[in-house]
Amino acid sequence: DEALQEQLHEPEGSFKKYFEYTTDIYSIAAPVFLYKEIKIFSWKAVKMLFQFRKLDAFRTMHESNKAHFTNPKTVQLFDRYATYTGSSPYKAPATLNIIPHVEHAYGGWLPKNGIHAIPEAMARVARENDVDIQLNSSVDSIVKEGKKVTGVKIGGEKHQCDIVVANSDVKATYHSLLGDRDSKMAKRYEQLEPSSSGLVFYWGMDCAFPEFSINNILFSDNYQEEFHELFESMHVPSKPTVYINITSKLIPTDAPRGCENWFVLVNAPCNVGQDWEAEIKKARNSVLEKIKETIGEDVSGHIMHEHLLSPVDIQRLTGSSQGSLYGISSNSRTAAFKRQSNNSKRYKNLYFAGGSAHPGGGIPMVTLSGKICSRLIMEDHS
Ligand SMILES: Cc1cc2nc3c(=O)[nH]c(=O)nc-3n(C[C@H](O)[C@H](O)[C@H](O)COP(=O)(O)OP(=O)(O)OC[C@H]3O[C@@H](n4cnc5c(N)ncnc54)[C@H](O)[C@@H]3O)c2cc1C
């Protein structure tokens, strides 16, 4: 922290003070908002009310970061954490400054064999506990009988279930699986702003670039404009911040000898029917331009292999509404209270997990949603 503080010419002690502030938010908010279903009338919620001021809910993340630091680059560095929930630092409440605490206190981790190793490990534990996992079985509908759910339909065949946990996108679950387009919750989700999406270029590079490390963020010069384009104009930012992750820097076997595997991500708006071919072409040029500006080299000739993931692909591959990465955005003070709770208030035996339900999107939160959901099931059915 001290090295970074010095590099950014921030006054002594400013980083320490900032992380004390983010730690406070975490210790007050996490027990109420992250690890449990939200219960307004619980003892923990009442206790939280007495410390409400410390949650910093009435400023935006940007306003708070600007008050903590003097260098606009430091402000931009911490503003970026809003994108971990697919939101804008100029709109999201400063309570989301909880995120830098989590990264700072617990660190960034790289699972061996990539992110897929996490669901694989969970599946292994489930199978060891006699769980039968049926892959490649798309659920057509959730079967309802009055005010309870009794099963799922796959390929026209009904499978009787005591409990249904929907990990699919909440809006899609109401619309397609439950056929409840007119329900209160479906209508609410119609009105909530989706989080942002992403555009990923997977590049196999024919050489190594010592200028880059494992995680590289090439910040844009005008962050406010970038978020305006993302959430208001709904275009891929014309001068985007570029994130480049190169795991072969740490795990050489992730790429052929002397080569590198680049995961190049720019934030993109959710899919509202943009001309994606044009958006992608423009974004690819801006990314190459930004890299050239940073390391003084045009890397396009070194791309041996390219694979693309667009918001449309994300929507198609995961069923996420409009290809948003993190369910609904946190661009309002009330977003946390509007997410689908992990148990259905409408149907008995129906539960929700995943990024569009409580407590929100991103791998850590999704994992927590599964934990909350399983605890609720045990409480209801033990
Ligand atoms: C490019 C990219 C980069 C990201 N980077 C990060 C990051 O660095 N850190 C982070 O924390 N998060 C990141 N995320 C976000 C994170 O991946 C998501 O928030 C998280 O995966 C959501 O989990 P989920 O279980 O809700 O949905 P998913 O992971 O999408 O899983 C839902 C599953 O349900 C299946 N499904 C849907 N409908 C049906 C149906 N009817 N029948 C059967 N199956 C169905 C889908 O096929 C899918 O497999 C990133 C996402 C993307 C796309």
Side-chain angles (χ1 to χ4, degrees):
D1 291 355
E2 271 157 31
L4 196 59
Q5 185 176 280
E6 212 177 292
Q7 213 179 329
L8 290 162
H9 309 293
E10 291 294 349
E12 210 185 313
S14 51
F15 271 59
K16 185 171 175 282
K17 201 170 150 216
Y18 184 71
F19 282 115
E20 279 168 7
Y21 150 80
T22 61
T23 305
D24 273 352
I25 299 179
Y26 180 82
S27 50
I28 298 164
V32 179
F33 290 113
L34 299 186
Y35 293 106
K36 298 197 102 185
E37 68 281 18
I38 297 180
K39 278 190 186 157
I40 304 289
F41 300 109
S42 68
W43 167 238
K44 279 193 176 133
V46 172
K47 211 169 121 193
M48 187 190 78
L49 279 181
F50 286 107
Q51 298 172 296
F52 193 74
R53 199 182 46 83
K54 286 192 172 175
L55 289 181
D56 207 2
F58 293 102
R59 286 192 290 187
T60 63
M61 287 177 88
H62 176 72
E63 283 163 350
S64 162
N65 292 335
K66 217 172 139 204
H68 278 93
F69 299 108
T70 52
N71 184 344
K73 286 195 190 312
T74 323
V75 176
Q76 188 176 17
L77 178 71
F78 287 104
D79 277 0
R80 184 173 182 274
Y81 285 98
T83 65
Y84 284 29
T85 66
S87 307
S88 162
Y90 302 96
K91 290 180 170 180
T95 313
L96 261 76
N97 283 329
I98 192 173
I99 306 171
H101 163 78
V102 175
E103 191 165 277
H104 187 254
Y106 304 111
W109 295 81
L110 173 65
K112 275 185 199 156
N113 300 324
I115 202 85
H116 194 234
I118 297 177
E120 271 178 351
M122 287 181 176
R124 194 185 63 241
V125 173
R127 287 194 177 105
E128 281 165 10
N129 285 281
D130 296 328
V131 176
D132 176 17
I133 300 173
Q134 297 189 16
L135 296 172
N136 304 315
S137 309
S138 184
V139 172
D140 305 323
S141 63
I142 297 173
V143 183
K144 306 171 289 189
E145 280 174 24
K147 287 282 168 215
K148 65 176 181 179
V149 299
T150 56
V152 293
K153 264 194 181 162
I154 299 172
E157 193 186 330
K158 182 181 169 182
H159 296 254
Q160 192 76 25
C161 305
D162 297 326
I163 292 161
V164 174
V165 179
N167 180 56
S168 41
D169 180 272
V170 169
K171 198 160 131 190
T173 304
Y174 277 104
H175 283 204
S176 318
L177 302 186
L178 287 164
D180 268 356
R181 210 171 258 271
D182 290 331
S183 66
K184 197 172 128 199
M185 207 60 191
K187 283 188 177 154
R188 180 190 289 181
Y189 265 71
E190 285 287 347
Q191 281 160 13
L192 294 173
E193 181 189 39
S195 67
S196 58
S197 186
L199 188 56
V200 187
F201 300 96
Y202 297 88
W203 287 342
M205 308 301 278
D206 70 1
C207 62
F209 289 83
E211 299 89 340
F212 287 129
S213 178
I214 306 164
N215 286 301
N216 310 273
I217 306 162
L218 319 183
F219 279 105
S220 67
D221 295 330
N222 190 341
Y223 223 27
Q224 195 143 15
E225 175 60 18
E226 187 171 347
F227 283 94
H228 183 81
E229 288 179 273
L230 265 181
F231 287 102
E232 315 302 330
S233 329
M234 305 301 284
H235 289 295
V236 179
S238 40
K239 297 210 161 148
T241 292
V242 180
Y243 170 62
I244 308 175
N245 175 258
I246 312 171
T247 62
S248 59
K249 298 267 186 204
L250 189 69
I251 306 171
T253 50
D254 278 0
R257 189 191 290 264
C259 303
E260 283 182 345
N261 63 331
W262 284 24
F263 168 98
V264 183
L265 168 80
V266 294
N267 290 312
C270 65
N271 179 23
V272 289
Q274 295 92 329
D275 176 353
W276 283 109
E277 206 179 310
E279 294 280 330
I280 291 163
K281 198 170 161 205
K282 203 179 72 181
R284 192 178 188 276
N285 287 336
S286 321
V287 167
L288 288 167
E289 191 54 41
K290 184 74 189 170
I291 295 172
K292 191 174 168 191
E293 190 188 302
T294 310
I295 64 168
E297 187 180 345
D298 176 7
V299 300
S300 59
H302 292 287
I303 303 170
M304 293 164 77
H305 179 78
E306 179 171 62
H307 179 74
L308 182 81
L309 188 73
S310 74
V312 177
D313 297 322
I314 294 167
Q315 185 172 350
R316 178 175 49 83
L317 293 169
T318 69
S320 139
S321 280
Q322 299 174 258
S324 69
L325 293 189
Y326 303 92
I328 63 168
S329 83
S330 295
N331 282 343
S332 85
R333 225 173 278 138
T334 51
F337 300 95
K338 291 187 173 159
R339 287 198 181 88
Q340 170 67 53
S341 58
N342 303 101
N343 52 353
S344 169
K345 307 285 183 251
R346 195 171 162 89
Y347 298 108
K348 196 165 182 278
N349 302 335
L350 177 63
Y351 296 83
F352 291 89
S356 52
H358 174 72
I363 307 282
M365 306 277 268
V366 166
T367 313
L368 287 176
S369 87
K371 273 184 90 172
I372 300 171
C373 189
S374 63
R375 198 172 48 228
L376 286 171
I377 293 171
M378 285 192 284
E379 277 169 21
D380 292 348
H381 297 267
S382 60

